[in-house]
Amino acid sequence: MAHTPQAKYRKDYQSPSHTISDLDLTFDLHDKATLVTAVSQVKQQLDSTTLNLEGDNVELKSISVNGEEWSDYTIHPASLEIANLPSEFELVIVTLIDPEANSALEGLYKSGGAFCTQCEAEGFRRITYYMDRPDVLAKFTTTVIADKAQYPFLLSNGNRVDEGEVEGGRHWVKWQDPHPKPAYLFALVAGDFDVLRDKYTTKSGRDVALEIFVDKGNLDRASHAMVSLINSMKWDEERFDLEYDLDIYMIVAVDFFNMGAMENKGLNIFNSKFVLANNQTATDADYLGIEAVIGHEYFHNWTGNRVTCRDWFQLSLKEGLTVFRDQEFSSDLGSRAVNRIGNVRTIRGPQFAEDASPMSHPIRPEKVIEMNNFYTLTVYEKGSEVIRMMHTLLGEVGFQKGMKLYFERHDGTAATCEDFVAAMEQASGVDLTQFRLWYSQSGTPTLRVESDYDAENKTYSLTVEQSTEATHEQKEKQALHIPFDIELYSASGEPITLQCNGEKVHNVLDVKQDKQIFVFENVTEQPIPSLLREFSAPVKLEYDYSDDELIFLMVNARNEFARWDASQMLLGKYIRTNIDNIQQGKGVELPESVIDAFRGVLLNEELEPAFISEVLSLPNHNEVSGWFKQVDVDAIATVLKEMKVTLAQNLNDELSATYHSLKQDEYTIEHAAIGKRSLRNTCLAFLANNENGDALVVEQYNSSNNMTDTIAAMSAANAAQLPCRETLMQDYSDKWKHDGLVMDKWFALQGMNPASNALDNIKVSMEHSAFSLKNPNRTRNLIGSFLNFNAVQFHAKSGEGYQFAGEILRELNSSNPQVASRLIDPLLKYRRYDQQRQDLIKVELEKLKAMDNLAKDLFEKVTKALEA
Ligand code: B3K
Ligand code: ZN
């Protein structure tokens, strides 16, 4: 490395030396040379006549102060230092940038034929020199000038206030955003689009124009995004009493985007994956993903934009809270149980894995080298669990009071996580002193629970011990405040009233000490406990359930989540046992009673099909890997496969009957219809392993009238390595080769292909006309799926998988470090594998470390992993 990147620490926060009240931007757009004129109204705050502005990859053309050319400045590698300034002044900075060469997709860049921006977290500095930090809020006015024929639409934040034409076939549009905002919420788009228009009237009567911009020809794929937007606006009014605050809300879909979407004020920019859908191109999961992401970005308008973050260490202030809000939105619109199950799978799988990796960090990190590395499952998903725990502790009414107070205090400002917790605490009267530790302590706590029934005294006690293992950068751990939701059942399945010291107690216990004993009175028979209901805290639960108890809970627990959880614990027991068996050279076995329990769920007509589908879905390889200190890649894969085959064979008749009974002629995206398809396709995934599996899959593929069933057939063929796989893959590619977004599903299947020649096929797929390593979606689907969801082939003992990953990472390091940095995660966990694999992975990490142009993104992760 040329010079070692420096870390920033949360404790070093300093308020800005200057404020900027207004920023007037003019963009003269050209592919290779865009001229940016930035006029700022600046006021000195601290005792300093020097102003430091961040800048990255920008060429300074001129500086003037109060109308005079200014020569008192120094250009540093990542900043501009302007000296001897008056206390209040107008600053004009002109910079030149090259959007076409911007393959990092941060700042101003070209996506297909359009110009677009991505500024969060620190991309605005790639547009002009500026105080690129979230606590500097200014009113933006933006003028965009471009060729009229090529770029008929010129968009930016706020309201369109003026427009005109200039010589040479160019035109301009001027936008004004009345809400002061930090630079990371700035956006600009110029291009030619089809536009889907609608309108929404807020509950106080404000008319809002809604516009969704998509590539020409894609209008028939935009309507679900529009419906989702309108639903989001309505839901936020009803559940949170929050209304939209501008006259226009625009969403632009682009094909080249590093993540899902971006909540720029009034002008969201989206990865086209989260906008475009019709039944021929999108699966049910895509539809639900669009609803969730449209909601998420819309909800940011209040939690993120109206109240933003003081500094980037506070990211979870807006992300954890907004994820919580989008989860609630999806749960209110669809099935709460199924949504909760999905979210819990994410925490128990990838989030727990992140917590156990060298990148482990608290939801409010203390130390950062590259901020983009902290848009993580921990900050987002665990952050949302922390908000959810507060919701559990305060109840909906108390929580909403807290939200009101939070907005009263902080609207229009940049706030901290502490501000949020303080508002929650003061509005509700609930003491959150110890609870705050969730913000600073990293790692996954374990709750070890033991029970004891005293028949004579009719008491039942639960002994709860909590502990958190040391993490990479935090050795000492303290006891957390853990809301522990429980219920006790009698043998007949009746809930037992919880009583302590003669009084009825709430079913959410406050676990606050290393070890605590809860004694319940008047318990007249040996109860069966349902523990950590609703996954009331992001912890690992350890309790020695017998098979019978779990089977009992699968049937009798009053809430669906608890039933599902019991089914997963039961599967988990046998996954562990069978991994032991395989390691000792024995075979995989599953007792009849366990198979019967799953048969019972499959045949239970009172259960929602979507829920049954979740019960029948085994945890994936990654989640199971997380249960072990040393991961036995092949044993886990064998057990998961064999257990699936065993269930498939034993339940063949029931699976087949269910499969056939759930056929729908019409495709609709109503939740009930989605649920039926989900269960039917889960059945197919089992049946694919049985006799006639191939014929059944081919039949479904050929008769499918929607992408969900098409992809389900292909996935089943892929996972079970059916003879029809090749034909189906070829047919799909012939049909969709012109459409990258649709081809992503095909690339993902190539990435996940369990065949021993998967890597060769992946290399061939990279030559497919729809593939490009420059496009993050393509890269994530093909390469990302291989690294993340093809454990056996990626971890092949030959080391070929690792070498391939190394090559790709070295290439992406120069073209798009953010994508590289996401892709590298599986390699960081190398210490969990056997010595031979560790050594092979380490070689690749060392090679990266030795690169002299290693980007900060990879530098931070590689060094952490190697020192861990
Ligand atoms: N706030 C953006 C994420 C920005 C990521 C920067 N690397 C999208 C979201 O969370 O809504
Ligand atoms: Zn977000």
Side-chain angles (χ1 to χ4, degrees):
M1 297 229 53
H3 50 92
T4 313
Q6 292 304 305
K8 278 194 193 158
Y9 293 82
R10 181 171 72 90
K11 62 176 169 40
D12 293 342
Y13 172 80
Q14 285 185 333
S15 61
S17 63
H18 294 73
T19 51
I20 300 175
S21 60
D22 297 85
L23 173 64
D24 192 314
L25 292 164
T26 304
F27 288 81
D28 197 2
L29 292 177
H30 295 276
D31 286 359
K32 292 187 174 41
T34 288
L35 204 63
V36 183
T37 306
V39 183
S40 308
Q41 309 302 327
V42 191
K43 243 191 213 162
Q44 178 188 321
Q45 293 300 309
L46 305 177
D47 186 22
S48 163
T49 57
T50 303
L51 175 64
N52 279 297
L53 302 177
E54 285 82 27
D56 179 9
N57 255 291
V58 292
E59 184 185 328
L60 183 67
K61 288 306 216 186
S62 66
I63 304 182
S64 70
V65 173
N66 287 334
E68 275 177 49
E69 196 181 314
W70 206 255
S71 52
D72 204 347
Y73 67 84
T74 319
I75 298 182
H76 301 288
S79 66
L80 171 67
E81 186 181 334
I82 314 176
N84 286 314
L85 289 162
S87 61
E88 200 172 337
F89 56 96
E90 181 180 271
L91 173 68
V92 183
I93 291 189
V94 182
T95 48
L96 191 66
I97 51 178
D98 181 350
E100 202 180 68
N102 183 354
S103 61
L105 314 184
E106 199 182 18
L108 178 69
Y109 65 93
K110 296 277 315 255
S111 169
F115 285 92
C116 65
T117 53
Q118 172 53 36
C119 294
E120 187 177 0
E122 299 178 327
F124 193 75
R125 64 189 60 184
R126 294 168 64 98
I127 292 173
T128 183
Y129 284 105
Y130 193 68
M131 296 180 81
D132 189 6
R133 45 186 288 169
D135 58 351
V136 171
L137 278 67
K139 281 192 181 148
F140 281 57
T141 303
T142 308
T143 307
V144 189
I145 313 166
D147 183 81
K148 189 169 180 177
Q150 227 181 328
Y151 307 103
F153 293 96
L154 306 178
L155 315 173
S156 190
N157 318 82
N159 302 310
R160 184 194 318 243
V161 291
D162 204 359
E163 59 195 305
E165 312 232 335
V166 283
E167 275 165 36
R170 294 172 75 75
H171 69 147
W172 59 272
V173 178
K174 185 176 190 161
W175 294 84
Q176 222 161 39
D177 182 356
H179 298 279
K181 65 166 175 290
Y184 83 86
L185 288 173
F186 168 78
L188 175 158
V189 172
D192 192 5
F193 303 99
D194 278 341
V195 193
L196 180 64
R197 294 194 164 85
D198 209 320
K199 72 167 201 166
Y200 182 78
T201 307
T202 67
K203 67 174 182 181
S204 73
R206 179 200 275 272
D207 281 329
V208 184
L210 309 178
E211 300 184 341
I212 298 183
F213 298 80
V214 296
D215 278 353
K216 291 234 152 227
N218 275 340
L219 215 48
D220 65 333
R221 298 195 205 178
S223 56
H224 183 65
M226 185 62 89
V227 171
S228 302
L229 176 59
I230 292 170
N231 287 340
S232 309
M233 298 178 91
K234 224 168 124 195
W235 180 85
D236 217 11
E237 291 179 351
E238 286 168 2
R239 177 89 188 259
F240 279 80
D241 196 21
L242 295 171
E243 263 186 55
Y244 189 58
D245 55 6
L246 283 168
D247 301 331
I248 182 165
Y249 194 93
M250 296 173 281
I251 291 174
V252 183
V254 299
D255 288 333
F256 286 72
F257 207 63
N258 280 344
M259 64 278 172
M262 179 63 212
E263 70 264 24
N264 317 297
K265 185 81 188 186
L267 176 57
N268 288 182
I269 299 180
F270 268 62
N271 187 325
S272 53
K273 171 179 165 56
F274 290 111
V275 175
L276 301 179
N278 66 34
N279 60 357
Q280 294 308 301
T281 63
T283 61
D284 295 340
D286 293 329
Y287 277 99
L288 295 173
I290 290 170
E291 178 179 272
V293 179
I294 294 265
H296 181 97
E297 306 312 330
Y298 176 73
F299 304 141
H300 266 316
N301 190 55
W302 277 94
T303 51
N305 301 4
R306 289 288 290 251
V307 183
T308 192
C309 300
R310 186 194 71 173
D311 54 72
W312 288 121
F313 298 100
Q314 317 295 329
L315 181 61
S316 202
L317 173 71
K318 74 178 177 81
E319 295 304 346
L321 179 54
T322 305
V323 171
F324 171 77
R325 277 153 51 69
D326 86 52
Q327 290 179 353
E328 284 300 295
F329 169 60
S330 297
S331 303
D332 284 346
L333 264 61
S335 156
R336 182 161 285 273
V338 171
N339 274 287
R340 189 67 189 134
I341 288 166
N343 299 331
V344 171
R345 281 194 203 272
T346 304
I347 295 282
R348 283 187 180 150
Q351 198 283 320
F352 281 3
E354 184 169 276
D355 249 346
S357 84
M359 267 298 285
S360 159
H361 53 276
I363 64 166
R364 183 185 56 201
E366 303 291 350
K367 174 188 168 192
V368 165
I369 292 180
E370 170 52 60
M371 190 53 214
N372 284 320
N373 281 341
F374 289 85
Y375 288 75
T376 57
L377 289 149
T378 301
V379 167
Y380 274 63
E381 313 299 325
K382 184 176 177 183
S384 150
E385 292 301 317
V386 170
I387 301 287
R388 186 171 296 282
M389 286 190 282
M390 282 190 259
H391 186 270
T392 303
L393 292 170
L394 273 61
E396 171 73 3
V397 173
F399 187 84
Q400 292 296 349
K401 272 197 208 157
M403 291 296 293
K404 281 245 141 41
L405 184 60
Y406 172 64
F407 288 123
E408 260 167 50
R409 287 180 176 172
H410 303 290
D411 187 13
T413 71
T416 62
C417 297
E418 171 52 33
D419 292 332
F420 181 83
V421 179
M424 284 290 152
E425 188 167 53
Q426 282 153 28
S428 68
V430 175
D431 178 6
L432 296 172
T433 313
Q434 188 184 356
F435 185 84
R436 283 171 169 80
L437 207 54
W438 282 103
Y439 281 90
S440 54
Q441 186 158 295
S442 60
T444 308
T446 298
L447 273 193
R448 168 101 204 111
V449 181
E450 275 172 28
S451 62
D452 182 45
Y453 180 59
D454 179 342
E456 203 167 311
N457 292 309
K458 300 194 173 40
T459 61
Y460 180 72
S461 63
L462 288 175
T463 304
V464 184
E465 280 179 86
Q466 63 162 304
S467 61
T468 305
E469 268 184 39
T471 50
H472 179 47
E473 280 174 341
Q474 198 180 56
K475 304 295 168 230
E476 299 299 319
K477 304 289 177 184
Q478 296 167 51
L480 293 150
H481 178 181
I482 298 173
F484 185 43
D485 188 340
I486 67 154
E487 204 160 51
L488 303 180
Y489 293 106
S490 68
S492 62
E494 288 303 309
I496 297 171
T497 309
L498 301 181
Q499 260 177 276
C500 288
N501 305 319
E503 277 180 41
K504 189 170 175 249
V505 293
H506 195 257
N507 59 300
V508 179
L509 310 178
D510 288 300
V511 173
K512 292 183 161 185
Q513 296 155 22
D514 290 331
K515 181 172 177 176
Q516 241 166 306
I517 304 176
F518 298 88
V519 182
F520 303 100
E521 300 145 0
N522 274 330
V523 182
T524 53
E525 59 176 298
Q526 167 81 48
I528 294 151
S530 171
L531 303 173
L532 200 68
R533 292 181 346 130
E534 292 292 351
F535 194 62
S536 60
V539 302
K540 291 184 187 168
L541 173 71
E542 286 181 10
Y543 179 76
D544 266 330
Y545 276 116
S546 68
D547 284 11
D548 287 347
E549 286 173 318
L550 290 172
I551 291 169
F552 171 93
L553 289 173
M554 279 173 72
V555 178
N556 293 300
R558 284 193 305 175
N559 96 4
E560 286 186 315
F561 179 84
R563 292 196 213 171
W564 169 80
D565 210 13
S567 76
Q568 296 293 301
M569 287 190 263
L570 187 60
L571 287 170
K573 275 180 88 169
Y574 284 93
I575 292 171
R576 288 172 200 270
T577 315
N578 281 317
I579 289 173
D580 274 350
N581 288 350
I582 291 286
Q583 286 167 339
Q584 292 163 27
K586 294 192 241 161
V588 167
E589 47 195 46
L590 209 51
E592 204 56 46
S593 56
V594 172
I595 294 166
D596 281 344
F598 285 89
R599 178 178 287 115
V601 173
L602 188 53
L603 296 178
N604 187 338
E605 282 173 7
E606 275 163 31
L607 297 173
E608 265 185 283
F611 174 76
I612 300 177
S613 173
E614 292 295 343
V615 172
L616 290 172
S617 303
L618 276 76
N620 69 17
H621 195 288
N622 289 337
E623 186 174 340
V624 176
S625 301
W627 302 345
F628 300 92
K629 286 243 165 326
Q630 273 277 313
V631 179
D632 187 337
V633 179
D634 302 297
I636 294 174
T638 307
V639 168
L640 290 177
K641 172 83 189 175
E642 292 291 311
M643 279 179 58
K644 192 160 187 181
V645 170
T646 307
L647 284 168
Q649 284 166 355
N650 283 280
L651 300 177
N652 180 64
D653 294 351
E654 293 83 357
L655 286 164
S656 178
T658 307
Y659 176 82
H660 291 291
S661 75
L662 289 172
K663 180 153 174 51
Q664 304 174 70
D665 294 329
E666 296 275 303
Y667 179 83
T668 73
I669 52 154
E670 273 142 42
H671 288 281
I674 292 176
K676 284 184 187 167
R677 272 190 296 279
S678 166
L679 178 54
R680 185 166 189 262
N681 287 324
T682 297
C683 292
L684 183 70
F686 280 104
L687 292 167
N689 298 288
N690 292 356
E691 213 185 322
N692 295 331
D694 194 65
L696 194 65
V697 166
V698 171
E699 154 67 17
Q700 169 154 332
Y701 182 87
N702 288 335
S703 63
S704 165
N705 64 356
N706 66 81
M707 183 54 92
T708 306
D709 291 339
T710 301
I711 282 295
M714 291 168 70
S715 304
N718 195 51
Q721 292 288 291
L722 299 178
C724 67
R725 180 187 183 276
E726 286 315 305
T727 322
L728 303 193
M729 292 294 276
Q730 188 58 50
D731 184 73
Y732 187 96
S733 161
D734 290 345
K735 196 162 165 198
W736 294 110
K737 54 180 181 292
H738 58 280
D739 192 319
L741 200 56
V742 182
M743 281 303 291
D744 277 341
K745 302 176 197 312
W746 186 91
F747 288 124
L749 290 175
Q750 297 289 19
M752 293 184 285
N753 183 3
S756 56
N757 64 346
L759 183 55
D760 296 335
N761 284 334
I762 288 167
K763 289 178 181 164
V764 173
S765 303
M766 289 178 73
E767 303 299 319
H768 193 288
S769 59
F771 188 81
S772 161
L773 207 52
K774 290 253 144 64
N775 184 300
N777 288 4
R778 297 310 91 79
T779 303
R780 276 190 288 263
N781 277 285
L782 183 62
I783 323 279
S785 302
F786 178 60
L787 271 58
N788 287 293
F789 305 114
N790 197 346
V792 174
Q793 298 312 321
F794 173 56
H795 291 285
K797 287 251 178 179
S798 66
E800 280 173 305
Y802 306 145
Q803 283 152 19
F804 171 71
E807 277 161 36
I808 299 282
L809 287 167
R810 292 193 290 278
E811 183 166 345
L812 287 171
N813 172 63
S814 330
S815 60
N816 191 331
Q818 273 188 60
V819 171
S821 190
R822 293 249 160 201
L823 218 54
I824 200 175
D825 286 344
L827 293 171
L828 307 179
K829 299 166 187 152
Y830 66 104
R831 286 183 203 270
R832 322 264 316 232
Y833 300 93
D834 56 69
Q835 196 59 47
Q836 187 186 343
R837 286 175 165 121
Q838 281 194 31
D839 293 343
L840 289 163
I841 299 176
K842 234 169 128 182
V843 169
E844 299 306 322
L845 294 175
E846 295 283 4
K847 270 197 211 166
L848 283 165
K849 194 180 164 198
M851 289 174 78
D852 49 356
N853 68 338
L854 188 64
K856 281 203 291 176
D857 315 56
L858 286 181
F859 171 84
E860 180 165 43
K861 291 190 173 181
V862 169
T863 46
K864 267 192 194 177
L866 287 172
E867 80 198 7

